[in-house]
């Protein structure tokens, strides 16, 4: 989403650096940078034969247009054509429906997915920001497995876990904002991809180092010392520690930061530390 801030040489170095540390899964969307993110990525791929498309997992998303949502067959197909052209690739490993469309006709989504699958233009399918019943509606018609639901999840933005733990209470955290998406995805074997893993809710910037999250930052620093890792790695490890085995979608454009985040793979937070971070982020346990 933030790739367009990189110059061409920088982007090439970033992709190489990411591949070297095993971060070979790239998350795009037709709307990122108004197409510029896919375009620049595609140019980097084309301009550097040492970048091996076959070793990458390239995902894109469709369905958000200027001022409205559109899951019509026609739009899904034309959006994928645009993404493939900009990325300079014959296929997407994964296509996600970016946001639920109130006017969705699931038969149309099904027809688009069939065409994309049979032409080999998309290998796997999923959704983003979808509630369980919206996924069930799609599943009634779509014959391909929906393998991913990309949702906001971070230490401060953790209603996905809060609403479950505060069930039956009148507390703020008890608000069910997603229809029980976490348990539903676990039941159905749908992988949750956590977007904005380091951001404060409401696009207010990162919480790491933010004065608005003093207690959380103190706890992150304490555990960073204990685990011999950075605060960023501890915040990432908090997401990876969840047994739903979520994927973390990092938005950094710095290879050093990506390396730090990847360090979370080697950290297994204890149950007690996981909860301590959760409480330090301002949540409560009934
Ligand atoms: N499906 C959806 O609706 C949806 C919505 C939003 C995002 N997304 C996807 O999720 C990806 C991640 O979202 P995001 O970019 O908001 O996530 P993020 O990884 O939480 O935030 C990355 C931004 O935070 C900055 N940052 C500052 N300090 C940081 C620290 N200590 N650790 C990590 N980052 C720090 C990064 O700067 P540097 O570049 O300097 O590191 C970068 O600008 C997007 O790129 C997009 O692919 C999906």
């Amino acid at each position: 989403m933030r790739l367009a801030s990189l110059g061409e040489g920088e982007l090439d170095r970033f992709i190489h650096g990411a591949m070297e540390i095993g971060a070979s899964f790239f998350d795009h969307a037709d709307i990122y940078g108004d197409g510029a993110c896919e375009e620049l990525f595609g140019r980097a791929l084309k301009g550097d034969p040492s970048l091996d498309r076959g070793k990458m997992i390239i995902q894109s998303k469709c369905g958000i247009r200027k001022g409205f949502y559109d899951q019509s067959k026609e739009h899904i197909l034309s959006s994928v054509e645009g993404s493939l052209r900009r990325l300079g690739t014959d296929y997407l490993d994964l296509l996600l429906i970016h946001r639920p469309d109130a006017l969705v006709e699931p038969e149309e989504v099904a027809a688009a997915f069939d065409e994309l699958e049979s032409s080999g233009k998309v290998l796997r399918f999923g959704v983003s920001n979808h509630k369980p019943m919206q996924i069930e509606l799609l599943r009634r018609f779509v014959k391909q497995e929906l393998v991913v639901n990309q949702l906001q999840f971070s230490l401060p933005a953790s209603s996905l876990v809060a609403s479950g733990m505060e069930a039956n209470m009148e507390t703020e955290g008890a608000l069910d904002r997603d229809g029980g998406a976490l348990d539903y995805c676990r039941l159905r074997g749908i992988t949750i991809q956590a977007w904005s893993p380091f951001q404060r809710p409401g696009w207010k910037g990162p919480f790491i180092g933010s004065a608005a999250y003093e207690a959380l930052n103190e706890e992150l620093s304490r555990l960073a010392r204990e685990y011999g890792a950075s605060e960023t790695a501890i915040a990432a490890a908090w997401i990876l520690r969840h047994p739903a085995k979520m994927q973390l979608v990092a938005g950094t454009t710095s290879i050093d930061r990506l390396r730090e985040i990847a360090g979370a793979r080697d950290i297994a937070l204890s149950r007690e530390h996981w909860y301590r971070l959760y409480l330090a982020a301002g949540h409560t346990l009934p």
Side-chain angles (χ1 to χ4, degrees), residues 1-2 27-28 32 61 64 96 98-99 128-129 150-151 194-199 203 205-206 208 231-232 248-254 257 260-261:
M1 181 175 87
R2 300 174 192 266
D27 179 60
H28 288 276
Y32 290 165
K61 306 192 268 318
I64 300 182
L96 310 186
H98 208 153
R99 279 203 170 269
S128 173
N129 304 306
Q150 193 174 104
L151 295 158
W195 61 257
S196 290
F198 305 104
Q199 296 293 308
W203 311 99
I208 297 172
E231 285 82 355
T232 306
L248 180 153
V249 191
T252 186
T253 50
S254 146
R257 197 168 339 257
E260 245 182 87
I261 295 168

Side-chain angles (χ1 to χ4, degrees), residues 214-268:
E214 209 179 319
L216 175 58
N217 277 289
E218 275 170 22
E219 196 56 44
L220 284 169
S221 299
R222 211 186 62 72
L223 292 177
R225 283 192 298 277
E226 190 164 334
Y227 285 85
S230 71
E231 285 82 355
T232 306
I234 297 294
W238 185 84
I239 292 173
L240 301 182
R241 169 65 179 81
H242 195 281
K245 296 189 171 56
M246 298 182 198
Q247 293 174 338
L248 180 153
V249 191
T252 186
T253 50
S254 146
I255 201 63
D256 289 339
R257 197 168 339 257
L258 190 62
R259 208 170 283 120
E260 245 182 87
I261 295 168
R265 290 179 297 203
D266 304 320
I267 301 171

Side-chain angles (χ1 to χ4, degrees), residues 62-233:
C62 68
I64 300 182
R65 300 183 68 176
K66 286 198 173 74
F68 62 108
Y69 297 148
D70 189 348
Q71 288 180 23
S72 64
K73 177 183 176 191
E74 190 191 3
H75 177 66
I76 293 172
L77 293 179
S78 74
S79 167
V80 170
E81 286 304 330
S83 290
L84 293 177
R85 190 183 61 250
R86 288 187 293 273
L87 289 162
T89 182
D90 298 335
Y91 68 97
L92 295 176
D93 294 273
L94 261 145
L95 173 71
L96 310 186
I97 301 289
H98 208 153
R99 279 203 170 269
D101 168 13
L103 305 180
V104 63
E105 291 173 64
E107 299 90 332
E108 293 226 3
V109 178
F113 283 10
D114 282 346
E115 214 167 299
L116 292 169
E117 186 185 52
S118 62
S119 61
K121 289 179 181 168
V122 176
L123 304 188
R124 306 297 291 268
F125 298 86
V127 295
S128 173
N129 304 306
H130 273 58
K131 291 183 171 191
M133 292 308 272
Q134 294 166 327
I135 299 179
E136 284 298 298
L137 179 62
L138 289 177
R139 279 171 45 88
R140 164 94 169 72
F141 297 89
V142 169
K143 72 168 192 281
Q144 295 77 13
E145 201 185 336
L146 298 173
V147 294
V148 160
N149 190 9
Q150 193 174 104
L151 295 158
Q152 180 174 202
F153 189 58
S154 68
L155 265 159
S158 49
S159 59
L160 269 183
V161 291
S163 61
M165 288 191 288
E166 293 178 53
N168 198 34
M169 304 303 287
E170 290 175 21
T171 46
E172 172 71 14
L175 282 178
D176 182 353
R177 299 176 195 278
D178 50 66
L182 174 62
D183 294 326
Y184 169 81
C185 288
R186 292 182 79 181
L187 272 168
R188 285 274 183 219
I190 295 172
T191 299
I192 291 179
Q193 296 181 343
W195 61 257
S196 290
F198 305 104
Q199 296 293 308
R200 299 165 60 183
W203 311 99
K204 292 190 186 135
F207 55 84
I208 297 172
S210 160
Y213 286 89
E214 209 179 319
L216 175 58
N217 277 289
E218 275 170 22
E219 196 56 44
L220 284 169
S221 299
R222 211 186 62 72
L223 292 177
R225 283 192 298 277
E226 190 164 334
Y227 285 85
S230 71
E231 285 82 355
T232 306

Side-chain angles (χ1 to χ4, degrees), residues 36-57:
C37 293
E38 290 183 334
E39 182 100 42
L40 290 166
F41 192 92
R43 242 185 270 163
L45 268 184
K46 193 171 169 204
D48 182 351
S50 70
L51 285 173
D52 186 349
R53 163 70 182 96
K55 291 197 172 133
M56 297 176 177
I57 299 173

